[in-house]
Coordinates of all heavy atoms in Angstrom, one line a residue:
E1 N 130.9 -54.2 -34.3 CA 131.6 -53.0 -33.9 C 130.9 -51.8 -34.5 O 130.6 -51.8 -35.7 CB 133.0 -53.1 -34.3 CG 133.9 -52.1 -33.8 CD 135.4 -52.4 -34.0 OE1 135.7 -53.3 -34.8 OE2 136.2 -51.6 -33.5
P2 N 130.7 -50.7 -33.8 CA 130.0 -49.6 -34.3 C 130.8 -48.9 -35.4 O 132.0 -49.0 -35.4 CB 129.7 -48.7 -33.1 CG 130.7 -49.1 -32.1 CD 131.0 -50.6 -32.3
E3 N 130.1 -48.1 -36.2 CA 130.8 -47.4 -37.3 C 131.8 -46.4 -36.8 O 132.8 -46.2 -37.4 CB 129.7 -46.7 -38.1 CG 130.1 -46.2 -39.5 CD 130.5 -47.3 -40.5 OE1 129.9 -48.4 -40.4 OE2 131.4 -47.0 -41.3
G4 N 131.5 -45.6 -35.8 CA 132.4 -44.7 -35.2 C 132.5 -44.8 -33.7 O 131.5 -45.1 -33.1
E5 N 133.7 -44.8 -33.1 CA 133.8 -44.9 -31.7 C 134.1 -43.5 -31.1 O 134.9 -42.8 -31.7 CB 135.0 -45.8 -31.4 CG 134.7 -47.3 -31.6 CD 135.9 -48.2 -31.2 OE1 136.6 -47.7 -30.3 OE2 136.0 -49.2 -31.7
E6 N 133.5 -43.2 -30.0 CA 133.8 -42.0 -29.3 C 135.0 -42.2 -28.4 O 135.1 -43.1 -27.7 CB 132.6 -41.5 -28.5 CG 131.4 -41.1 -29.3 CD 130.4 -40.3 -28.5 OE1 130.8 -39.7 -27.5 OE2 129.2 -40.4 -28.8
T7 N 135.9 -41.2 -28.5 CA 137.1 -41.2 -27.6 C 136.8 -40.3 -26.4 O 135.8 -39.6 -26.4 CB 138.3 -40.7 -28.3 OG1 138.1 -39.4 -28.8 CG2 138.7 -41.6 -29.5
G8 N 137.7 -40.2 -25.5 CA 137.4 -39.4 -24.3 C 137.5 -37.9 -24.5 O 137.1 -37.2 -23.6
Q9 N 137.9 -37.4 -25.7 CA 138.0 -36.0 -25.9 C 136.9 -35.4 -26.8 O 137.2 -34.5 -27.6 CB 139.4 -35.7 -26.4 CG 140.5 -36.1 -25.5 CD 141.8 -36.0 -26.2 OE1 141.9 -35.9 -27.4 NE2 142.9 -36.1 -25.4
N10 N 135.7 -36.0 -26.8 CA 134.6 -35.5 -27.6 C 135.0 -35.5 -29.1 O 134.6 -34.7 -29.9 CB 134.2 -34.1 -27.3 CG 133.6 -34.1 -25.9 OD1 133.0 -35.1 -25.4 ND2 133.6 -32.9 -25.3
E11 N 135.8 -36.5 -29.5 CA 136.1 -36.7 -30.9 C 135.5 -38.0 -31.4 O 135.4 -39.0 -30.6 CB 137.6 -36.7 -31.2 CG 138.2 -35.3 -30.9 CD 139.7 -35.3 -31.1 OE1 140.2 -36.4 -31.6 OE2 140.4 -34.4 -30.8
I12 N 135.2 -38.1 -32.7 CA 134.7 -39.3 -33.2 C 135.7 -39.9 -34.2 O 136.2 -39.2 -35.1 CB 133.3 -39.1 -34.0 CG1 132.3 -38.6 -33.0 CG2 132.9 -40.4 -34.6 CD1 131.0 -38.3 -33.6
E13 N 136.1 -41.1 -34.0 CA 137.1 -41.8 -34.8 C 136.3 -42.7 -35.7 O 135.6 -43.6 -35.3 CB 138.1 -42.5 -34.0 CG 139.1 -43.2 -34.7 CD 140.1 -43.9 -33.8 OE1 140.3 -43.5 -32.7 OE2 140.6 -45.0 -34.2
F14 N 136.5 -42.5 -37.0 CA 135.8 -43.4 -38.0 C 136.8 -44.4 -38.5 O 137.9 -44.1 -38.8 CB 135.3 -42.5 -39.2 CG 134.1 -41.7 -38.8 CD1 134.3 -40.3 -38.5 CD2 132.8 -42.2 -38.7 CE1 133.2 -39.5 -38.1 CE2 131.8 -41.4 -38.3 CZ 132.0 -40.1 -38.1
K15 N 136.3 -45.6 -38.6 CA 137.1 -46.7 -39.2 C 136.4 -47.1 -40.5 O 135.2 -47.3 -40.6 CB 137.1 -47.9 -38.2 CG 137.8 -47.5 -36.9 CD 137.9 -48.7 -36.1 CE 138.7 -48.4 -34.8 NZ 138.8 -49.5 -33.9
Y16 N 137.2 -47.2 -41.5 CA 136.7 -47.6 -42.9 C 137.4 -48.9 -43.3 O 138.5 -49.2 -43.0 CB 137.0 -46.5 -43.9 CG 136.3 -45.2 -43.6 CD1 137.0 -44.2 -43.0 CD2 134.9 -45.1 -43.9 CE1 136.3 -43.0 -42.7 CE2 134.3 -43.9 -43.7 CZ 135.0 -42.9 -43.1 OH 134.3 -41.7 -42.8
D17 N 136.6 -49.7 -44.0 CA 137.2 -50.9 -44.6 C 137.7 -50.5 -46.0 O 137.3 -49.6 -46.6 CB 136.1 -52.0 -44.8 CG 135.6 -52.5 -43.4 OD1 136.3 -52.4 -42.5 OD2 134.4 -52.9 -43.4
N18 N 138.7 -51.3 -46.4 CA 139.2 -51.0 -47.8 C 138.3 -51.4 -48.9 O 138.5 -51.0 -50.0 CB 140.6 -51.8 -47.9 CG 141.6 -51.2 -47.1 OD1 141.5 -50.0 -46.6 ND2 142.7 -51.9 -46.8
D19 N 137.2 -52.1 -48.6 CA 136.3 -52.5 -49.6 C 135.3 -51.5 -50.0 O 134.5 -51.6 -50.9 CB 135.6 -53.8 -49.2 CG 136.5 -55.0 -49.0 OD1 137.6 -55.0 -49.6 OD2 136.2 -55.9 -48.2
D20 N 135.2 -50.4 -49.2 CA 134.2 -49.3 -49.4 C 134.7 -48.2 -50.4 O 134.7 -47.1 -50.1 CB 133.9 -48.6 -48.1 CG 133.1 -49.6 -47.2 OD1 132.6 -50.5 -47.7 OD2 133.1 -49.3 -46.0
D21 N 135.1 -48.7 -51.6 CA 135.5 -47.7 -52.6 C 134.3 -47.0 -53.2 O 133.2 -47.6 -53.3 CB 136.3 -48.4 -53.7 CG 137.7 -48.9 -53.3 OD1 138.2 -48.3 -52.3 OD2 138.2 -49.8 -53.9
I22 N 134.5 -45.8 -53.7 CA 133.4 -45.1 -54.4 C 133.2 -45.7 -55.8 O 134.2 -45.8 -56.5 CB 133.8 -43.6 -54.5 CG1 133.9 -43.0 -53.1 CG2 132.7 -42.8 -55.3 CD1 134.3 -41.6 -53.0
S23 N 132.0 -45.9 -56.1 CA 131.7 -46.5 -57.4 C 131.9 -45.4 -58.5 O 131.9 -44.2 -58.2 CB 130.3 -47.1 -57.5 OG 129.4 -46.0 -57.4
D24 N 132.1 -45.9 -59.7 CA 132.2 -45.0 -60.8 C 131.0 -44.1 -61.0 O 131.1 -42.9 -61.4 CB 132.5 -45.7 -62.1 CG 133.9 -46.4 -62.1 OD1 134.7 -45.9 -61.3 OD2 134.1 -47.4 -62.9
E25 N 129.8 -44.6 -60.7 CA 128.6 -43.9 -60.9 C 128.5 -42.8 -59.8 O 128.1 -41.6 -60.2 CB 127.4 -44.8 -60.7 CG 126.0 -44.2 -60.9 CD 124.9 -45.1 -60.7 OE1 125.1 -46.3 -60.7 OE2 123.8 -44.6 -60.5
M26 N 128.9 -43.1 -58.6 CA 128.9 -42.1 -57.6 C 129.9 -41.0 -57.9 O 129.6 -39.8 -57.6 CB 129.1 -42.7 -56.2 CG 128.0 -43.4 -55.6 SD 128.4 -44.1 -53.9 CE 128.5 -42.6 -53.0
L27 N 131.0 -41.4 -58.4 CA 132.1 -40.4 -58.7 C 131.6 -39.5 -59.8 O 131.8 -38.3 -59.7 CB 133.4 -41.1 -59.1 CG 134.6 -40.3 -59.3 CD1 134.9 -39.5 -58.0 CD2 135.8 -41.2 -59.7
S28 N 131.0 -40.0 -60.8 CA 130.5 -39.2 -61.9 C 129.4 -38.3 -61.5 O 129.3 -37.1 -61.9 CB 130.0 -40.0 -63.1 OG 128.9 -40.8 -62.8
D29 N 128.5 -38.7 -60.5 CA 127.5 -37.9 -60.0 C 128.1 -36.7 -59.2 O 127.6 -35.6 -59.2 CB 126.5 -38.7 -59.1 CG 125.5 -39.5 -59.9 OD1 125.4 -39.3 -61.1 OD2 124.9 -40.4 -59.3
M30 N 129.1 -37.0 -58.4 CA 129.8 -36.0 -57.6 C 130.4 -35.0 -58.5 O 130.3 -33.8 -58.2 CB 130.8 -36.6 -56.7 CG 130.3 -37.4 -55.5 SD 131.4 -38.3 -54.5 CE 132.9 -37.5 -54.6
E31 N 131.0 -35.4 -59.6 CA 131.6 -34.4 -60.5 C 130.6 -33.6 -61.2 O 130.7 -32.4 -61.5 CB 132.5 -35.1 -61.5 CG 133.8 -35.7 -60.9 CD 134.6 -36.5 -61.9 OE1 134.1 -36.7 -63.0 OE2 135.7 -37.0 -61.5
A32 N 129.4 -34.2 -61.5 CA 128.4 -33.5 -62.3 C 127.7 -32.5 -61.4 O 127.3 -31.4 -61.9 CB 127.3 -34.5 -62.8
Y33 N 127.5 -32.7 -60.1 CA 126.8 -31.8 -59.2 C 127.7 -30.9 -58.4 O 127.3 -30.2 -57.5 CB 125.9 -32.6 -58.3 CG 124.8 -33.3 -59.1 CD1 124.7 -34.7 -59.1 CD2 123.8 -32.5 -59.7 CE1 123.7 -35.3 -59.8 CE2 122.8 -33.1 -60.4 CZ 122.7 -34.5 -60.5 OH 121.7 -35.1 -61.2
S34 N 129.0 -31.0 -58.6 CA 129.9 -30.2 -57.8 C 130.0 -28.8 -58.4 O 129.8 -28.6 -59.6 CB 131.3 -30.8 -57.8 OG 131.9 -30.8 -59.1
P35 N 130.3 -27.8 -57.6 CA 130.3 -26.4 -58.1 C 131.6 -26.2 -59.0 O 132.6 -26.9 -58.8 CB 130.4 -25.5 -56.8 CG 131.0 -26.4 -55.8 CD 130.5 -27.8 -56.1
G36 N 131.5 -25.3 -59.9 CA 132.6 -25.1 -60.8 C 133.7 -24.3 -60.2 O 133.6 -23.8 -59.1
E37 N 134.9 -24.3 -60.8 CA 136.0 -23.6 -60.3 C 135.8 -22.2 -60.1 O 136.2 -21.6 -59.1 CB 137.3 -23.9 -61.2 CG 137.8 -25.3 -61.2 CD 139.0 -25.4 -62.0 OE1 139.7 -24.4 -62.3 OE2 139.3 -26.5 -62.4
W38 N 135.1 -21.5 -61.0 CA 134.8 -20.1 -60.9 C 133.9 -19.8 -59.7 O 134.1 -18.8 -59.0 CB 134.1 -19.6 -62.2 CG 133.7 -18.2 -62.2 CD1 132.5 -17.7 -62.2 CD2 134.6 -17.0 -62.0 NE1 132.5 -16.3 -62.1 CE2 133.8 -15.9 -62.0 CE3 136.0 -16.9 -62.0 CZ2 134.4 -14.6 -61.9 CZ3 136.5 -15.6 -61.9 CH2 135.7 -14.5 -61.8
D39 N 132.9 -20.7 -59.4 CA 132.1 -20.5 -58.3 C 132.9 -20.6 -57.0 O 132.7 -19.8 -56.0 CB 130.9 -21.5 -58.2 CG 130.0 -21.2 -59.4 OD1 129.8 -20.1 -59.8 OD2 129.4 -22.2 -59.8
I40 N 133.8 -21.5 -56.9 CA 134.6 -21.7 -55.7 C 135.6 -20.5 -55.6 O 135.7 -20.0 -54.4 CB 135.4 -23.0 -55.9 CG1 134.5 -24.2 -55.8 CG2 136.5 -23.1 -54.7 CD1 135.2 -25.5 -56.1
M41 N 136.2 -20.0 -56.6 CA 137.0 -18.9 -56.5 C 136.3 -17.6 -56.1 O 136.8 -16.8 -55.3 CB 137.7 -18.6 -57.9 CG 138.8 -19.6 -58.2 SD 140.1 -19.7 -57.0 CE 140.8 -18.1 -57.2
K42 N 135.1 -17.4 -56.6 CA 134.3 -16.3 -56.2 C 134.0 -16.3 -54.7 O 134.0 -15.3 -54.0 CB 132.9 -16.2 -57.0 CG 133.1 -15.7 -58.4 CD 131.8 -15.4 -59.1 CE 130.6 -16.3 -58.8 NZ 129.4 -16.0 -59.5
Q43 N 133.7 -17.5 -54.2 CA 133.4 -17.6 -52.8 C 134.6 -17.4 -51.9 O 134.6 -16.8 -50.9 CB 132.7 -19.0 -52.5 CG 132.2 -19.1 -51.1 CD 131.4 -20.4 -50.9 OE1 131.4 -21.3 -51.8 NE2 130.7 -20.5 -49.8
L44 N 135.7 -17.9 -52.4 CA 137.0 -17.8 -51.6 C 137.4 -16.3 -51.6 O 137.9 -15.8 -50.6 CB 138.1 -18.6 -52.2 CG 138.0 -20.1 -52.0 CD1 139.1 -20.9 -52.7 CD2 138.1 -20.4 -50.5
L45 N 137.3 -15.6 -52.7 CA 137.7 -14.2 -52.8 C 136.6 -13.2 -52.3 O 136.9 -12.1 -52.1 CB 138.0 -13.9 -54.3 CG 139.2 -14.6 -54.8 CD1 139.4 -14.3 -56.3 CD2 140.5 -14.3 -54.1
G46 N 135.5 -13.7 -52.0 CA 134.4 -12.9 -51.4 C 133.8 -12.0 -52.5 O 133.3 -10.9 -52.1
I47 N 133.7 -12.4 -53.7 CA 133.1 -11.6 -54.8 C 131.6 -11.8 -54.7 O 131.2 -13.0 -54.8 CB 133.7 -12.0 -56.1 CG1 135.2 -11.7 -56.2 CG2 133.0 -11.3 -57.3 CD1 135.9 -12.3 -57.4
N48 N 130.9 -10.7 -54.6 CA 129.4 -10.8 -54.6 C 128.8 -9.7 -55.4 O 129.5 -9.0 -56.1 CB 128.9 -10.8 -53.1 CG 129.5 -9.6 -52.3 OD1 129.8 -8.6 -52.9 ND2 129.5 -9.8 -51.0
V49 N 127.5 -9.4 -55.2 CA 126.9 -8.4 -56.0 C 127.5 -7.0 -55.7 O 127.7 -6.2 -56.6 CB 125.4 -8.4 -55.6 CG1 124.6 -7.2 -56.3 CG2 124.7 -9.7 -56.0
F50 N 127.8 -6.7 -54.5 CA 128.4 -5.5 -54.1 C 129.7 -5.2 -54.9 O 130.0 -4.1 -55.3 CB 128.7 -5.4 -52.6 CG 129.2 -4.1 -52.1 CD1 128.4 -3.0 -52.1 CD2 130.5 -4.0 -51.6 CE1 128.9 -1.8 -51.7 CE2 131.0 -2.8 -51.1 CZ 130.2 -1.7 -51.2
T51 N 130.5 -6.3 -55.0 CA 131.8 -6.2 -55.8 C 131.5 -5.8 -57.2 O 132.3 -5.0 -57.8 CB 132.5 -7.5 -55.7 OG1 132.6 -8.0 -54.3 CG2 133.9 -7.4 -56.3
Y52 N 130.5 -6.4 -57.8 CA 130.2 -6.1 -59.2 C 129.7 -4.7 -59.4 O 130.0 -4.0 -60.3 CB 129.1 -7.1 -59.8 CG 129.6 -8.5 -60.0 CD1 129.0 -9.5 -59.3 CD2 130.7 -8.7 -60.8 CE1 129.4 -10.8 -59.5 CE2 131.2 -10.0 -61.0 CZ 130.5 -11.1 -60.3 OH 131.0 -12.3 -60.5
I53 N 128.9 -4.2 -58.4 CA 128.5 -2.8 -58.4 C 129.7 -1.8 -58.3 O 129.8 -0.9 -59.1 CB 127.5 -2.5 -57.3 CG1 126.2 -3.3 -57.5 CG2 127.2 -1.0 -57.1 CD1 125.2 -3.3 -56.4
L54 N 130.6 -2.1 -57.4 CA 131.8 -1.3 -57.3 C 132.6 -1.3 -58.5 O 133.1 -0.3 -59.0 CB 132.6 -1.7 -56.1 CG 132.1 -1.4 -54.7 CD1 133.0 -1.9 -53.6 CD2 131.9 0.1 -54.6
A55 N 132.8 -2.5 -59.1 CA 133.6 -2.6 -60.4 C 132.9 -1.7 -61.5 O 133.6 -1.0 -62.3 CB 133.7 -4.0 -60.8
G56 N 131.6 -1.8 -61.6 CA 130.9 -1.0 -62.6 C 131.0 0.5 -62.3 O 131.2 1.3 -63.3
L57 N 131.0 0.9 -61.1 CA 131.2 2.3 -60.8 C 132.6 2.8 -61.1 O 132.8 3.9 -61.6 CB 130.9 2.6 -59.3 CG 129.4 2.6 -58.9 CD1 129.2 2.7 -57.4 CD2 128.6 3.7 -59.6
I58 N 133.6 1.9 -60.9 CA 134.9 2.3 -61.2 C 135.1 2.5 -62.7 O 135.7 3.5 -63.2 CB 135.9 1.2 -60.7 CG1 136.0 1.3 -59.2 CG2 137.3 1.3 -61.3 CD1 136.7 0.1 -58.6
V59 N 134.5 1.6 -63.5 CA 134.6 1.7 -64.9 C 133.9 3.0 -65.4 O 134.4 3.7 -66.2 CB 133.9 0.5 -65.6 CG1 133.7 0.7 -67.1 CG2 134.8 -0.8 -65.4
I60 N 132.7 3.3 -64.8 CA 132.0 4.5 -65.2 C 132.8 5.8 -64.9 O 132.9 6.6 -65.8 CB 130.6 4.5 -64.5 CG1 129.7 3.5 -65.1 CG2 130.0 5.9 -64.6 CD1 128.4 3.3 -64.3
F61 N 133.3 5.9 -63.7 CA 134.0 7.1 -63.3 C 135.4 7.2 -64.1 O 135.8 8.3 -64.4 CB 134.3 7.1 -61.8 CG 133.1 7.6 -61.0 CD1 132.2 6.7 -60.4 CD2 132.8 8.9 -61.0 CE1 131.1 7.2 -59.7 CE2 131.7 9.4 -60.3 CZ 130.8 8.5 -59.7
L62 N 136.1 6.1 -64.3 CA 137.3 6.2 -65.1 C 137.0 6.6 -66.5 O 137.7 7.4 -67.2 CB 138.1 4.9 -65.1 CG 138.8 4.6 -63.7 CD1 139.4 3.2 -63.8 CD2 139.8 5.6 -63.4
S63 N 135.9 6.1 -67.1 CA 135.5 6.5 -68.4 C 135.1 8.0 -68.5 O 135.5 8.7 -69.4 CB 134.3 5.7 -68.9 OG 134.6 4.3 -68.9
L64 N 134.4 8.5 -67.5 CA 134.0 9.9 -67.5 C 135.3 10.8 -67.3 O 135.3 11.8 -67.9 CB 133.0 10.1 -66.4 CG 131.6 9.6 -66.7 CD1 130.7 9.8 -65.5 CD2 131.0 10.3 -67.9
N65 N 136.2 10.3 -66.5 CA 137.5 11.1 -66.3 C 138.2 11.1 -67.7 O 138.8 12.2 -68.0 CB 138.4 10.5 -65.3 CG 138.0 10.9 -63.9 OD1 137.2 11.8 -63.7 ND2 138.5 10.2 -62.9
A66 N 138.2 10.0 -68.4 CA 138.9 10.0 -69.7 C 138.2 10.9 -70.7 O 138.8 11.6 -71.5 CB 139.0 8.6 -70.2
I67 N 136.9 10.9 -70.7 CA 136.1 11.7 -71.7 C 136.0 13.2 -71.3 O 136.3 14.1 -72.1 CB 134.7 11.1 -71.8 CG1 134.8 9.7 -72.4 CG2 133.8 12.0 -72.7 CD1 133.5 8.9 -72.4
L68 N 135.6 13.5 -70.0 CA 135.4 14.8 -69.6 C 136.6 15.5 -69.0 O 136.6 16.7 -68.8 CB 134.2 14.8 -68.6 CG 132.9 14.3 -69.1 CD1 131.9 14.2 -68.0 CD2 132.4 15.1 -70.3
G69 N 137.6 14.8 -68.7 CA 138.8 15.4 -68.1 C 138.8 15.3 -66.6 O 137.7 15.2 -66.0
P70 N 139.9 15.5 -65.9 CA 140.0 15.5 -64.5 C 139.2 16.7 -63.9 O 139.3 17.8 -64.4 CB 141.5 15.5 -64.2 CG 142.1 16.0 -65.4 CD 141.2 15.7 -66.5
G71 N 138.6 16.5 -62.8 CA 137.9 17.6 -62.1 C 136.5 17.8 -62.6 O 135.8 18.8 -62.1
W72 N 135.9 17.0 -63.5 CA 134.6 17.2 -64.0 C 133.5 17.1 -62.9 O 132.6 17.8 -62.9 CB 134.2 16.2 -65.1 CG 134.2 14.8 -64.7 CD1 135.3 13.9 -64.7 CD2 133.1 14.1 -64.1 NE1 134.9 12.7 -64.2 CE2 133.6 12.8 -63.9 CE3 131.8 14.4 -63.9 CZ2 132.8 11.8 -63.3 CZ3 131.0 13.4 -63.3 CH2 131.5 12.1 -63.1
L73 N 133.7 16.2 -61.9 CA 132.8 16.0 -60.9 C 132.8 17.2 -59.9 O 131.7 17.7 -59.5 CB 133.0 14.7 -60.1 CG 132.0 14.4 -59.0 CD1 130.6 14.2 -59.6 CD2 132.5 13.1 -58.3
G74 N 133.9 17.7 -59.6 CA 134.0 18.9 -58.7 C 133.4 20.1 -59.4 O 132.8 20.9 -58.7
Q75 N 133.7 20.3 -60.7 CA 133.1 21.4 -61.4 C 131.6 21.3 -61.4 O 130.9 22.3 -61.2 CB 133.6 21.4 -62.8 CG 134.8 22.2 -63.0 CD 135.2 22.2 -64.5 OE1 134.9 21.3 -65.3 NE2 135.9 23.3 -64.9
S76 N 131.0 20.1 -61.6 CA 129.6 20.0 -61.7 C 128.9 20.2 -60.3 O 127.8 20.6 -60.2 CB 129.2 18.6 -62.3 OG 129.6 17.6 -61.4
M77 N 129.7 19.9 -59.2 CA 129.2 20.2 -57.9 C 129.5 21.6 -57.4 O 129.0 22.0 -56.3 CB 129.8 19.2 -56.9 CG 129.4 17.7 -57.2 SD 130.3 16.5 -56.2 CE 130.1 17.1 -54.5
G78 N 130.2 22.4 -58.2 CA 130.4 23.8 -57.8 C 131.6 24.0 -56.8 O 131.7 25.0 -56.2
I79 N 132.5 23.0 -56.7 CA 133.6 23.1 -55.8 C 134.7 24.0 -56.5 O 135.1 23.7 -57.6 CB 134.2 21.8 -55.4 CG1 133.1 20.9 -54.7 CG2 135.4 21.9 -54.6 CD1 133.5 19.5 -54.4
S80 N 135.1 25.1 -55.9 CA 136.1 26.0 -56.5 C 137.4 25.3 -56.6 O 137.9 24.6 -55.7 CB 136.2 27.3 -55.8 OG 136.7 27.0 -54.5
G81 N 138.2 25.6 -57.7 CA 139.5 25.1 -57.9 C 139.6 23.7 -58.5 O 140.7 23.2 -58.5
T82 N 138.5 23.1 -58.9 CA 138.6 21.8 -59.5 C 138.3 21.9 -61.0 O 137.5 22.7 -61.4 CB 137.5 20.9 -58.9 OG1 136.2 21.4 -59.0 CG2 137.8 20.6 -57.4
G83 N 139.1 21.1 -61.7 CA 138.9 21.1 -63.1 C 139.6 22.2 -63.9 O 139.5 22.2 -65.1
S84 N 140.2 23.1 -63.2 CA 140.9 24.2 -63.9 C 142.4 24.2 -63.5 O 142.7 24.2 -62.4 CB 140.2 25.5 -63.5 OG 140.9 26.6 -64.0
F85 N 143.2 24.3 -64.5 CA 144.6 24.4 -64.3 C 145.1 25.8 -64.6 O 146.3 26.0 -64.7 CB 145.4 23.4 -65.2 CG 145.0 21.9 -64.8 CD1 144.3 21.2 -65.7 CD2 145.4 21.4 -63.6 CE1 143.9 19.9 -65.4 CE2 145.1 20.1 -63.3 CZ 144.3 19.3 -64.2
T86 N 144.3 26.7 -64.8 CA 144.7 28.1 -65.1 C 145.0 28.9 -63.9 O 145.7 29.9 -63.9 CB 143.6 28.8 -66.0 OG1 142.4 28.8 -65.2 CG2 143.4 28.1 -67.3
E87 N 144.4 28.6 -62.7 CA 144.6 29.3 -61.5 C 146.0 28.9 -60.9 O 146.3 27.8 -60.8 CB 143.5 29.1 -60.5 CG 142.1 29.5 -61.0 CD 141.1 29.1 -60.0 OE1 141.4 28.8 -58.8 OE2 139.9 29.1 -60.4
I88 N 146.8 29.9 -60.6 CA 148.1 29.7 -60.0 C 148.0 29.9 -58.5 O 147.5 30.9 -58.0 CB 149.2 30.6 -60.6 CG1 149.3 30.3 -62.1 CG2 150.5 30.4 -59.9 CD1 150.2 31.2 -62.8
S89 N 148.5 29.0 -57.7 CA 148.5 29.1 -56.3 C 149.5 30.2 -55.8 O 150.5 30.5 -56.4 CB 149.0 27.8 -55.7 OG 149.1 27.9 -54.3
D90 N 149.1 30.9 -54.7 CA 149.9 32.0 -54.2 C 151.2 31.4 -53.6 O 152.2 32.2 -53.5 CB 149.2 32.7 -53.1 CG 148.0 33.4 -53.6 OD1 148.0 33.8 -54.9 OD2 147.0 33.7 -52.9
S91 N 151.3 30.2 -53.3 CA 152.5 29.6 -52.6 C 153.5 29.2 -53.7 O 154.7 29.0 -53.3 CB 152.1 28.4 -51.8 OG 151.6 27.4 -52.6
L92 N 153.1 29.2 -55.0 CA 154.1 28.8 -56.0 C 154.7 30.1 -56.6 O 154.0 31.1 -56.8 CB 153.4 28.0 -57.1 CG 152.9 26.7 -56.7 CD1 152.1 26.0 -57.9 CD2 154.0 25.8 -56.3
P93 N 156.0 30.1 -56.9 CA 156.5 31.3 -57.6 C 156.1 31.4 -59.0 O 155.7 30.5 -59.7 CB 158.0 31.1 -57.5 CG 158.2 29.6 -57.4 CD 157.0 29.1 -56.7
D94 N 156.1 32.7 -59.6 CA 155.6 32.9 -61.0 C 156.6 32.3 -62.0 O 156.2 31.8 -63.0 CB 155.4 34.4 -61.2 CG 154.2 34.9 -60.5 OD1 153.3 34.1 -60.2 OD2 154.2 36.1 -60.3
S95 N 157.9 32.4 -61.7 CA 158.9 31.9 -62.6 C 160.1 31.3 -61.7 O 160.4 31.8 -60.6 CB 159.4 32.9 -63.5 OG 160.1 34.0 -62.8
V96 N 160.8 30.3 -62.3 CA 161.9 29.7 -61.6 C 163.1 29.7 -62.6 O 162.9 29.3 -63.7 CB 161.6 28.3 -61.1 CG1 162.8 27.6 -60.5 CG2 160.4 28.3 -60.1
D97 N 164.2 30.2 -62.2 CA 165.4 30.2 -63.0 C 166.1 28.9 -62.8 O 166.7 28.6 -61.8 CB 166.3 31.4 -62.7 CG 167.5 31.5 -63.6 OD1 167.4 30.9 -64.7 OD2 168.4 32.2 -63.3
L98 N 166.1 28.0 -63.8 CA 166.7 26.7 -63.7 C 168.1 26.7 -64.1 O 168.8 25.6 -64.1 CB 165.9 25.7 -64.5 CG 164.4 25.4 -64.0 CD1 163.7 24.4 -64.9 CD2 164.4 24.9 -62.6
S99 N 168.7 27.8 -64.5 CA 170.1 27.9 -64.9 C 171.0 28.0 -63.7 O 172.2 28.2 -63.9 CB 170.3 28.9 -65.9 OG 170.0 30.2 -65.4
N100 N 170.5 28.1 -62.5 CA 171.4 28.3 -61.3 C 172.2 27.0 -61.2 O 171.8 25.9 -61.5 CB 170.5 28.5 -60.1 CG 169.9 29.8 -60.1 OD1 170.3 30.8 -60.7 ND2 168.7 29.9 -59.3
P101 N 173.4 27.1 -60.6 CA 174.3 26.0 -60.5 C 173.7 24.8 -59.6 O 174.0 23.7 -59.9 CB 175.6 26.5 -59.8 CG 175.5 28.0 -60.1 CD 174.1 28.4 -60.2
E102 N 172.9 25.2 -58.6 CA 172.3 24.1 -57.8 C 171.2 23.3 -58.5 O 170.9 22.2 -58.1 CB 171.7 24.7 -56.5 CG 170.5 25.6 -56.6 CD 170.9 27.1 -56.6 OE1 172.1 27.4 -56.6 OE2 170.0 27.9 -56.6
N103 N 170.7 23.8 -59.6 CA 169.7 23.1 -60.4 C 170.3 22.3 -61.6 O 169.6 21.5 -62.2 CB 168.7 24.1 -61.0 CG 167.9 24.8 -59.9 OD1 167.7 24.2 -58.8 ND2 167.4 26.0 -60.2
L104 N 171.6 22.4 -61.8 CA 172.2 21.7 -62.9 C 172.6 20.3 -62.4 O 173.0 20.1 -61.3 CB 173.4 22.4 -63.4 CG 173.2 23.8 -64.0 CD1 174.5 24.5 -64.4 CD2 172.2 23.7 -65.2
L105 N 172.6 19.3 -63.3 CA 172.9 17.9 -63.0 C 174.4 17.8 -63.1 O 175.2 17.7 -63.8 CB 172.2 16.9 -63.9 CG 170.7 16.9 -63.6 CD1 170.0 16.0 -64.6 CD2 170.4 16.5 -62.2

């Protein structure tokens, strides 16, 4: 009897005997040459070189924001209104009286 029989739906049905157990040597070889859990997780999550580059850029920019303060990039590029909190917008009032009854809790 052939190892696999073809059925009418382009499928192959395999029949195995119970005597075909995997030997201890084959099992240890499979474990030795199998990929590690970290490699499997990286492949499942789609982590590649591009991901490492993005993570590095995130660390660099967050560090520069912590060291140089917010708006350092806009200031270095010459974009007006970035990095400075001294300019007051025209749409904001100069002072607000918070003692009004509608502002009390």
